[in-house]
Amino acid sequence: MMAMARDADTNKDGAISQAEFMAAAMKRFDAEDTNHDGKITKEERAAAHEARKEARQDARAAKKADKPVAN
């Protein structure tokens, strides 16, 4: 299951209710609206995208570091 869907399913019943979906969407909106003006600008969107990209790269690097090197 995708991380976003897993995180949205707060009661872990395997389904995402409308309330769970809306709560997850608002959490993401609030995180991206860094100046809290109720709008997400293209600059805020780009910054959030870059932050997610870096987090994915860091997670991949950490996972790769944990794997033994094959000879």
Side-chain angles (χ1 to χ4, degrees), residues 10-66:
T10 56
N11 65 0
K12 307 300 181 211
D13 68 351
I16 300 171
S17 69
Q18 183 180 21
E20 288 172 322
F21 180 90
M22 293 305 295
M26 287 307 299
K27 182 178 177 182
R28 186 168 181 170
F29 183 93
D30 290 343
E32 290 189 20
D33 182 20
T34 55
N35 65 358
H36 308 291
D37 67 351
K39 301 177 214 169
I40 298 174
T41 64
K42 64 182 174 182
E43 292 82 11
E44 288 171 319
R45 224 173 25 252
H49 174 77
E50 188 62 31
R52 285 190 304 275
K53 180 179 169 184
E54 288 176 10
R56 282 191 309 272
Q57 290 172 339
D58 291 347
R60 284 186 194 121
K63 189 174 183 179
K64 187 176 182 180
D66 288 342

